[in-house]
Amino acid sequence: MMRIVLFGNLYNDKPEEYESQFYAICQKIKNHCIDIFLPTVFFNTLSDGLKEKIESFIHLFDTSIPKVDLAFSIGGDGTFLRTATDVAYHKIPILGINTGRLGFLADIKFEDLDETLDEIFNKNYRIEMRMLLKTTAITSSMEGKTLNNDFANYSLNEVAILKQDTSSMLTIHAFIDDEYLTSYQADGLVVATPTGSTAYSLSIGGPIMVPTAPNIILTAIAPHSLNSRPLVVDSNSKISLKVESRSSNYLVSLDGESQTLDANTMLEICKANYAQPVVKRCGHTFFETLRNKLMWGADIRSSEKIK
C-alpha cells in the first residue's frame, strides 16, 4: 500500500474554508487506499470537529518522519516551501495541492485531484529535481572567524538580504568564487534558484528560468545605480556577501523565514549537496504553468479598445 505524509497550512486566514477542503482531500486520498500520516503539530491546529472526522484513518507522528512514498503539501506556495524544509535530507518527493491563490509550486487544483491520484497510484508521474541553496553565516571577531551554527541555512526559492531598522540603503560587497564582483548600493539583494526565479526575484525584475537550469540569479532590490542589472551565474559558483549597514545589522530571509544578523557576519551561498524531488503530472509543463498562472506572453488588450 502506498504511504504518504500530509503537510498543511499552519497559518490559514480562512480556517473554515481551508478545513472543508482539507477534509475533502483526505477523503479522496483515503478512497484510493493510501495510508495517511500527519504531523501532530499540524493536527493540533485543526478544529475538534475535523479531528474527530479524520483521526480514525490517519497516523500521527511527532518528530521523525516515517518511511513514506510521497509528501503532499496542502495549501499555497508558502506551505510548499515549509514542506520542503520539513522533509529536507529525506529525499521525499513533494506534490503540491493548491488551496491558496496563485499556486505556482502547489499547482494541482482541487478539481483535478481525483485524476492526479489515479495517475500517482498507477505511478504515471514524473519527478523533477530542484536545486536548493545552502547559506553559511560566518562571523568575524577579534578571535577570528566562527560559523553561526544556529543559522537555518537551506532554501528552495531564494536568499534575500534586506535592511532593518533604517531607511538607508545597504552596501553589499559581492564576490563570486572569491573574485570581487561589485558593491551593490540597494535596499537589498535576492539570490535565487531557478525555482525561485518566478517568485521574489521576478517581482524585482529578475529573469524567468526553467526550474532545472543549472544557474543562480543575483538581483538587486531597488538599486541606486541604473547599471545594476540581474546577473545569472553558474550553479557551482560560491557567492560571498559582506554587508554594510548604518544600523549595524541586517535581515536575511530564506524562503520567507527571516533572521537578524550582525553586520560583521558574512554570508556564503552555494548549491546544496542534495536536491528536492518534486512530483509533476505527465503532460503538464513549466511553460503551461507560466501561461496559466502568470499569464506569461498574454496580450490582454482587446481589439475593440485599439483605435
Side-chain angles (χ1 to χ4, degrees):
M1 179 179 285
M2 182 175 284
R3 295 154 60 97
I4 64 158
V5 56
L6 298 186
F7 291 92
N9 189 346
L10 295 170
Y11 311 104
N12 202 277
D13 55 355
K14 297 180 179 178
E16 291 184 3
E17 180 180 331
Y18 177 76
E19 289 198 355
S20 175
Q21 289 180 303
F22 185 85
Y23 177 63
I25 291 168
C26 286
Q27 287 285 70
K28 289 177 181 293
I29 296 170
K30 177 193 170 193
N31 292 340
H32 281 75
C33 300
I34 298 174
D35 262 351
I36 302 173
F37 294 81
L38 204 66
T40 301
V41 64
F42 173 67
F43 180 78
N44 290 338
T45 67
L46 302 176
S47 67
D48 291 339
L50 181 55
K51 288 178 184 176
E52 291 177 6
K53 289 180 181 179
I54 66 174
E55 61 185 355
S56 63
F57 61 85
I58 64 167
H59 310 283
L60 296 177
F61 66 93
D62 291 323
T63 52
S64 180
I65 297 177
K67 184 176 177 57
V68 295
D69 299 290
L70 300 173
F72 284 10
S73 165
I74 302 175
D77 287 349
T79 304
F80 190 100
L81 292 172
R82 285 188 289 272
T83 300
T85 299
D86 290 336
V87 303
Y89 311 112
H90 292 278
K91 299 180 180 179
I92 302 172
I94 303 174
L95 175 76
I97 302 170
N98 183 32
T99 63
R101 291 183 293 273
L102 181 62
F104 203 89
L105 290 170
D107 58 353
I108 303 299
K109 295 184 290 186
F110 178 78
E111 52 266 33
D112 296 333
L113 185 56
D114 279 323
E115 185 179 356
T116 303
L117 289 173
D118 283 335
E119 293 169 355
I120 287 174
F121 196 72
N122 292 300
K123 300 190 182 302
N124 181 27
Y125 59 89
R126 59 189 175 86
I127 297 292
E128 283 186 0
M129 302 304 294
R130 299 293 184 90
M131 180 181 74
L132 293 97
L133 295 176
K134 178 183 179 182
T135 305
T136 304
I138 304 171
T139 301
S140 298
S141 64
M142 297 290 290
E143 290 75 28
K145 295 182 178 180
T146 56
L147 292 178
N148 184 344
N149 293 321
D150 296 327
F151 185 71
N153 57 1
Y154 288 94
S155 50
L156 178 62
N157 262 2
E158 77 274 312
V159 181
I161 291 84
L162 306 164
K163 61 186 182 180
Q164 185 188 36
D165 300 333
T166 178
S167 59
S168 300
M169 292 183 298
L170 297 175
T171 300
I172 304 170
H173 306 290
F175 301 79
I176 306 295
D177 294 327
D178 297 323
E179 179 183 349
Y180 176 69
L181 171 65
T182 190
S183 294
Y184 293 98
Q185 300 278 344
D187 284 355
L189 180 71
V190 171
V191 181
T193 65
T195 298
S197 72
T198 52
Y200 197 172
S201 178
L202 178 63
S203 73
I204 55 174
I208 295 175
M209 304 193 71
V210 295
T212 53
N215 298 106
I216 299 172
I217 308 161
L218 288 80
T219 308
I221 304 170
H224 187 60
S225 171
L226 293 176
N227 294 326
S228 183
R229 295 288 185 258
L231 177 68
V232 177
V233 300
D234 187 275
S235 62
N236 293 315
S237 302
K238 180 185 73 174
I239 300 165
S240 304
L241 303 174
K242 298 178 181 178
V243 181
E244 292 182 20
S245 169
R246 287 189 181 179
S247 65
S248 300
N249 55 48
Y250 62 96
L251 285 179
V252 58
S253 173
L254 280 69
D255 287 346
E257 299 293 327
S258 298
Q259 302 172 65
T260 301
L261 294 180
D262 187 273
N264 291 323
T265 300
M266 181 181 74
L267 299 177
E268 287 189 353
I269 303 168
C270 63
K271 179 175 70 175
N273 58 6
Y274 73 97
Q276 175 60 55
V278 175
V279 178
K280 291 294 177 182
R281 298 181 67 188
C282 294
H284 292 248
T285 69
F286 172 72
F287 304 112
E288 179 185 29
T289 304
L290 271 184
R291 292 192 302 271
N292 294 338
K293 299 289 186 177
L294 296 185
M295 304 301 293
W296 184 73
D299 187 348
I300 61 174
R301 299 170 298 178
S302 66
S303 58
E304 291 79 12
K305 292 182 179 178
I306 299 177
K307 303 297 184 182

